[in-house]
């Protein structure tokens, strides 16, 4: 690249793409470092990111020692990005055989797993450095601590906890899969959160974006009448409404608006499936049924904190599904 180019965020992203399969990754990394040295990073806030990008390119090319120097420099340049940079530095130290320093760097970051979504980088680094067992122990410890806090904490603490559980549970699930471990209860939680989020995200294609919900008596009757729905729904109603709430929270976090729930009934589903010639236990039939119900009046979500909960419990939202289901 010409030496006078300003490196914009878009150009940095392009370089990141180019780096994979580049015949000369070292010179690509050197170009980025030179731009930093010459003050040619368009947004000074990207300086740490640029250095880490160069470090990553060198790492992938097998030059761990120079990657370590750049990661160390990135930490000094931009302390606010330190979780990524420090995770990378810790991982590189481990892979260079400097175990004590590497573990010290990563152990210092460990508490961040409970509050900082970026901290899952340290799990990646541990796993990459052949320390998957440690990574698993830390991530499980973080989940235990968050879920414990969720039981007893303030509403704000609960909201923060909910935002973390999804990401940690997914990352842990991947890790255990790579390790060839069987599903445990957190893996089932990860699968449920993922399925619930997937269902609501699918339904976002429609407007209004509504999710099918079964009031308590209907839920119990539903699973008795069509036991095969046990593959689609969790065994208990509490878990069902928690799943619906969690999926809506996830969708809202991803920017979805116009969210709502529609209440299904066993008799309604039976009639609908018969009219449509569909199988009531087929998820597609359930989606179509939800769409049909949405044409009436979906219950908008979320309710106000002091309003009646959408689940029909009769309690205020802030005392019912809002706190209990985040996570
Ligand atoms: Zn799974
Ligand atoms: Zn509720």
């Amino acid at each position: 690249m010409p030496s006078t180019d300003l490196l914009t965020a878009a150009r940095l992203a392009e370089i990141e793409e180019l780096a994979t399969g580049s015949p000369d990754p070292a010179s690509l990394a050197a170009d980025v470092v030179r731009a930093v040295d010459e003050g040619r990073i368009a947004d000074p806030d990207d300086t740490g990111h640029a250095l880490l990008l160069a470090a990553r390119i060198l790492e992938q090319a097998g030059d761990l020692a120079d990657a370590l120097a750049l990661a160390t420099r990135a930490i000094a340049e931009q302390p606010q990005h330190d979780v990524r940079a420090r995770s990378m530095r810790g991982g590189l130290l481990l892979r260079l055989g400097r175990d004590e320093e590497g573990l010290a760097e990563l152990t210092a970051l460990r508490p961040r797993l409970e509050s900082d979504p970026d901290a899952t980088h340290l799990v990646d680094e541990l796993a990459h450095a052949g320390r998957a067992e440690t990574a698993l122990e830390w991530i499980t410890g973080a989940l235990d601590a968050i879920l414990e806090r969720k039981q007893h904490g303030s509403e704000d603490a609960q909201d923060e906890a909910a935002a973390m559980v999804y990401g940690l549970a997914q990352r842990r699930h991947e890790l255990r899969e790579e390790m060839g471990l069987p599903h445990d209860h957190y893996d089932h939680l990860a699968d449920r959160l993922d399925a619930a989020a997937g269902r609501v995200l699918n339904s976002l294609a429609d407007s209004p974006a509504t999710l099918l919900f079964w009031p308590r008596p209907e839920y119990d009757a539903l699973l008795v009448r069509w036991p095969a729905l046990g593959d689609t729904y969790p065994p208990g109603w509490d878990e069902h409404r928690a799943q619906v709430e969690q999926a809506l929270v996830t969708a809202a976090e991803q920017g979805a608006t116009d969210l709502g729930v529609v209440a299904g009934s066993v008799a309604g589903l039976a009639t609908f499936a018969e009219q449509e010639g569909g199988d009531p236990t087929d998820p597609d039939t359930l989606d179509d049924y939800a769409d049909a119900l949405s044409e009436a009046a979906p219950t908008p979500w979320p309710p106000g904190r002091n309003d009646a909960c959408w689940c029909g419990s009769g309690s205020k939202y802030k005392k019912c599904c809002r706190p209990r289901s985040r996570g």
Side-chain angles (χ1 to χ4, degrees):
M1 79 191 80
S3 62
T4 53
D5 266 8
L6 267 186
L7 282 192
T8 60
R11 179 63 189 147
L12 286 169
E14 223 172 272
I15 292 172
E16 196 167 354
E17 297 266 307
L18 285 174
T20 321
S22 158
D24 190 4
S27 75
L28 208 51
D31 283 346
V32 175
V33 174
R34 198 173 317 110
V36 172
D37 290 339
E38 294 172 1
R40 284 186 289 106
I41 302 299
D43 179 350
D45 281 348
D46 286 339
T47 305
H49 171 61
L51 288 169
L52 276 190
L53 170 60
R56 188 66 73 193
I57 293 171
L58 291 179
E59 182 206 1
Q60 280 162 3
D63 182 357
L64 301 189
D66 284 327
L68 176 64
L70 287 179
T72 305
R73 187 173 161 194
I75 295 167
E77 292 274 345
Q78 247 166 343
Q80 70 267 33
H81 291 159
D82 68 345
V83 180
R84 271 167 200 257
R86 285 187 185 276
S87 297
M88 189 173 178
R89 181 168 193 275
L92 286 165
L93 285 166
L94 287 179
R95 288 160 63 202
L96 284 162
R98 293 163 64 177
D99 289 9
E100 211 169 302
E101 289 166 88
L103 271 183
E105 186 83 60
L106 295 175
T107 303
L109 296 172
R110 183 179 174 179
R112 306 275 284 268
L113 276 172
E114 294 174 30
S115 58
D116 183 345
D118 272 348
T120 50
H121 285 289
L122 79 98
V123 171
D124 302 342
E125 294 292 349
L126 278 171
H128 197 180
R131 307 248 178 176
E133 297 286 346
T134 305
L136 181 58
E137 185 190 321
W138 289 13
I139 204 165
T140 303
L143 270 171
D144 288 344
I146 291 169
L147 291 170
E148 169 71 19
R149 217 164 49 220
K150 192 163 143 338
Q151 298 288 317
H152 306 293
S154 66
E155 280 185 25
D156 283 349
Q158 288 171 350
D159 285 352
E160 185 191 273
M164 290 301 300
V165 167
Y166 185 78
L168 287 178
Q170 301 306 329
R171 185 64 189 89
R172 185 179 178 281
H173 182 270
E174 280 168 28
L175 188 62
R176 287 175 60 87
E177 209 153 67
E178 285 159 19
M179 295 168 78
L181 295 171
H183 273 46
D184 66 1
H185 68 291
Y186 280 149
D187 286 317
H188 291 301
L189 170 71
D191 283 338
R192 286 199 306 269
L193 294 177
D194 207 38
R199 275 200 295 280
V200 79
L201 293 177
N202 284 338
S203 75
L204 293 182
D206 305 327
S207 187
T210 49
L211 203 60
L212 183 57
F213 159 71
W214 302 89
R216 180 164 230 160
E218 296 295 336
Y219 194 74
D220 298 336
L222 182 78
L223 296 186
V224 170
R225 176 143 180 193
W226 294 294
L229 281 174
D231 293 340
T232 305
Y233 291 113
W237 181 72
D238 265 333
E239 232 177 304
H240 167 57
R241 63 176 168 165
Q243 209 172 69
V244 171
E245 173 79 9
Q246 175 64 43
L248 289 161
V249 169
T250 304
E253 280 166 2
Q254 296 185 358
T257 55
D258 205 13
L259 295 165
V261 295
V262 286
S265 72
V266 170
L269 175 61
T271 307
F272 178 82
E274 202 179 309
Q275 279 166 1
E276 305 292 313
D279 173 357
T281 64
D282 179 348
D284 288 340
T285 307
L286 293 169
D287 283 349
D288 293 343
Y289 176 52
D291 287 349
L293 290 173
S294 305
E295 283 164 24
T299 304
W301 181 96
R305 296 165 74 96
N306 286 310
D307 293 343
C309 192
W310 59 264
C311 77
S313 64
S315 304
K316 288 180 177 179
Y317 180 49
K318 71 174 182 186
K319 297 269 178 220
C320 186
C321 286
R322 186 176 192 281
R324 311 199 288 132
S325 53
R326 305 221 160 190

